[in-house]
Structures are given as C-alpha cells and as structure tokens.
C-alpha cells in the first residue's frame, strides 16, 4: 500500500517511541446496545498500537464492520472468526488512513460485501481499496430492526472523515482518541475544518464517544470540550511564538517555543501540527510568511 505523509510520520514516531508490548489476544466486547468492539494490532501512532474495529448491528447479525484496519494476517483471522458467527453485510470506513483500512479489501473480498465511505475517502483510496458505495452527511449507512448508523461528515483530520451515530453513541474514527493524540497534518488535514467538526459533534445530542484508539469515552461532550480548549490553547501558543515588531522566526524556533511542554521525541509530530495551525492563522491574516520566516 502506498504510504501517505501521515503514515510515514507514524512510522517515524514508531521508530522513536516504544509501544507497549503486545497484550492478551483480542476479545470482542459489547460497548453499547448494537455495538461491539475488537481492538486489533495495527501500524498506528504510538502510544496506541491497536485500532478498534466496531461491529454494528443486531447481536445475531449480520453486522456492518467499521474500520477493519489491521494488515496483519493473525489479526484478520481473529476478526474472521468473530464474523463467522454473526455474518457481515458491509464494511464502513471512517477515513482513508492505513491503520483504518489495512484489512478492508481482504475482508470485503472474503465475505463478498461492499465497502462504503465518503467520496473523498474513495478518491484517496483509488487503486488501493475499492470503495463501492459512497456515503454522504446525514445518510443512513446501515440499518437493522432496532437501529441504524447515520453518517456525520467531520472533515479535518482527513478530508473525507465520517463519524457514525448509533442511538446515543458516536463511532468517532480519528476525531478524538481514547489513547494518544489526534494528528492534524497540513498535507491531508485542515485545522480550521477539524475545529469546526469538533464543534459540530459537540452540538449533537450523543453522549458516548467510541474512538478508533483506546477505550470508550462515556462523556463525549466533556471530551469534545476538552479537545477544543486544548487546541485553542495551542493555537494561542503558536501565535504567541510568532515574533511581532519586525522580528521573524523559522519553523524550528516556533516548535521549540510553542511546544516547550512537549517531549522532544514528539517534536516531528508537533511540527506538523504547528504547520497546520500556521496555515489556519495565515488564512485568517493573523500571521505572515516570507521565505520560510514567520512574523505577525
Ligand atoms: Zn487517521
């Protein structure tokens, strides 16, 4: 699979930050009525080492499988064994990153089911994973007698990012993490859109958030507020780091100042995030850039 800049960066961080040793074999857990989860090992961003695969639908099946991200054969076998008991009707993708789609093509092929995602995700996956059903904001991606999964378009981390609302729970993909952090990389992400999407999710009535990495977040509203506060704090720190009064600074200096509270080993990630903040601030006319030097 071709590596996106985000995946290349994940790889770089994995080489620098040890992930927790592999733990017990994956077990299927019920996290909400009509939603079960299986955490499978994936090449993701440390400290996370797994991506949650959500099985949505009636206990007896068939279910929709959200983000079968593991490219590893042993993990795919575990998923196949679980699915063998309930049956599957489709694969749903929150977005195009490898740790969310790594097992999608193989799974859809084995079970002869369609893969559904947002059109922008389909474009990004062209030639890698064949998306056969397109999903738009507000559409019901999958329904069964007792419920349904409704798409909420939440661009920012990725331009085709969807969340899936099921009753009072939201399968949130990479909007929020239960473990680790969400990277907004300016090559494929957009900080302004990400903040808008966080606001949008927060305005909805759902409470429980089911992230792609880490455990369920019972109070979704509080977590979304925390994320918004944190990102705005960081934006302010980035802005404060940009010199005024005729001075200017290079990216490395801005990272050192705006992320002085972040371990150095994470600065490659911080730099991407900082650039995403700068793109937003530049668009808003709050900073200027000349030949790689930033001022305001
Ligand atoms: Zn992602």
């Amino acid at each position: 699979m071709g590596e996106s800049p985000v995946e290349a960066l994940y790889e770089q961080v994995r080489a620098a930050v040890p992930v927790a040793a592999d733990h017990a074999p994956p077990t299927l857990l019920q996290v909400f009525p009509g939603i079960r989860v299986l955490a499978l090992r994936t090449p993701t961003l440390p400290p996370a080492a797994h991506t949650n695969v959500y099985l949505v639908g009636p206990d007896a099946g068939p279910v929709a499988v959200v983000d079968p991200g593991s490219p590893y054969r042993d993990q795919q076998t575990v998923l196949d064994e679980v699915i063998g008991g309930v049956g599957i009707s489709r694969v749903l993708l929150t977005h195009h990153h490898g740790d969310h789609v790594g097992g999608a093509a193989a799974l859809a092929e084995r079970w002869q089911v369609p893969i559904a995602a947002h059109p922008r995700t389909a474009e990004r996956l062209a030639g890698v994973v064949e998306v056969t059903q397109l999903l738009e904001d507000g559409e019901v991606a999958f329904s069964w007698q007792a419920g349904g999964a409704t798409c909420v378009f939440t661009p920012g981390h990725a331009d085709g990012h969807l969340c899936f609302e099921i009753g009072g729970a939201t399968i949130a993909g990479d909007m929020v993490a239960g473990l680790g952090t969400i990277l907004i990389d300016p090559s494929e992400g957009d900080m302004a859109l990400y903040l808008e999407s966080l606001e949008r999710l927060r305005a909805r009535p759902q409470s429980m958030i089911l992230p792609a990495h880490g455990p369920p977040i019972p109070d979704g509203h509080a977590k979304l507020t925390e994320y918004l506060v944190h990102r705005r704090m960081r934006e302010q720190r980035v802005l404060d780091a940009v010199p005024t009064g005729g001075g200017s600074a290079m990216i490395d200096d801005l990272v050192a100042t705006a992320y002085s509270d972040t371990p150095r080993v994470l600065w490659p990630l911080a730099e991407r995030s900082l650039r995403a903040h700068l793109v937003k601030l530049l668009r808003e006319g709050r900073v200027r850039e000349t030949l790689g030097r930033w001022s305001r």
Side-chain angles (χ1 to χ4, degrees):
M1 185 180 292
E3 247 188 16
S4 78
V6 167
E7 281 144 28
L9 191 63
Y10 283 12
E11 181 78 50
Q12 191 187 338
V13 177
R14 277 201 302 280
V17 181
V19 298
D22 213 11
H23 50 64
T27 354
L28 189 65
L29 297 171
Q30 180 101 37
V31 286
F32 196 80
I35 310 178
R36 285 166 285 183
V37 65
L38 189 65
L40 298 183
R41 206 173 67 252
T42 56
T44 188
L45 181 64
H50 298 77
T51 301
N52 292 326
V53 181
Y54 289 100
L55 272 56
V56 176
D59 289 353
V63 294
V65 176
V66 182
D67 287 355
S70 185
Y72 308 126
R73 188 58 222 164
D74 64 315
Q75 301 292 290
Q76 293 182 359
T77 300
V78 173
L79 180 58
D80 275 337
E81 281 166 9
V82 166
I83 288 171
V86 292
I88 161 181
S89 79
R90 69 196 55 212
V91 173
L92 305 179
L93 302 178
T94 58
H95 66 294
H96 70 282
H97 288 150
D99 57 326
H100 294 252
V101 310
L107 184 69
E109 169 75 25
R110 272 197 299 284
W111 296 89
Q112 289 295 298
V113 292
I115 299 177
H118 189 273
R120 293 203 185 128
T121 299
E123 277 168 36
R124 290 207 180 256
L125 289 173
V128 181
V129 176
E130 198 194 346
V131 173
T132 47
Q133 286 183 3
L134 299 179
L135 298 172
E136 299 282 354
D137 184 53
E139 208 170 311
V140 175
F142 179 60
S143 65
W144 61 102
Q145 205 177 1
T150 305
C151 303
V152 187
F153 185 44
T154 45
H157 169 75
D159 58 0
H161 196 286
L162 290 175
C163 294
F164 299 106
E165 287 180 348
I166 297 110
T170 300
I171 293 178
D174 276 350
M175 278 302 293
V176 169
L179 174 67
T181 180
I182 297 296
L183 174 68
I184 307 301
D185 186 287
S187 71
E188 349 187 320
D190 183 307
M191 188 64 78
L193 283 179
Y194 177 63
L195 294 174
E196 277 171 30
S197 291
L198 284 173
E199 292 275 17
R200 179 151 192 244
L201 276 188
R202 193 172 63 148
R204 301 181 75 92
Q206 284 65 24
S207 61
M208 181 180 279
I209 284 189
L210 302 169
H213 309 287
I217 299 161
D219 189 345
H221 191 270
K223 180 58 83 175
L224 291 163
T225 301
E226 182 191 313
Y227 265 52
L228 280 159
V229 167
H230 176 79
R231 294 283 174 175
R232 288 195 187 115
M233 174 279 287
R234 190 62 70 186
E235 178 177 285
Q236 190 58 49
R237 286 195 58 157
V238 169
L239 189 61
D240 289 346
V242 178
T244 53
S248 66
M250 306 282 282
I251 289 282
D252 287 354
D253 303 322
L254 297 179
V255 172
T257 310
Y259 289 84
S260 57
D261 57 340
T262 302
R264 227 165 227 279
V265 69
L266 295 175
W267 281 9
L269 276 181
E271 187 206 314
R272 303 309 299 168
S273 193
L274 175 120
R275 285 182 186 274
H277 279 294
L278 287 175
V279 168
K280 175 177 181 287
L281 292 169
L282 190 62
R283 251 193 253 146
E284 293 167 354
R286 298 162 78 191
V287 297
R288 286 191 303 273
E289 188 258 337
T290 314
L291 300 171
R293 301 199 66 92
W294 293 84
S295 57
R296 62 186 163 117

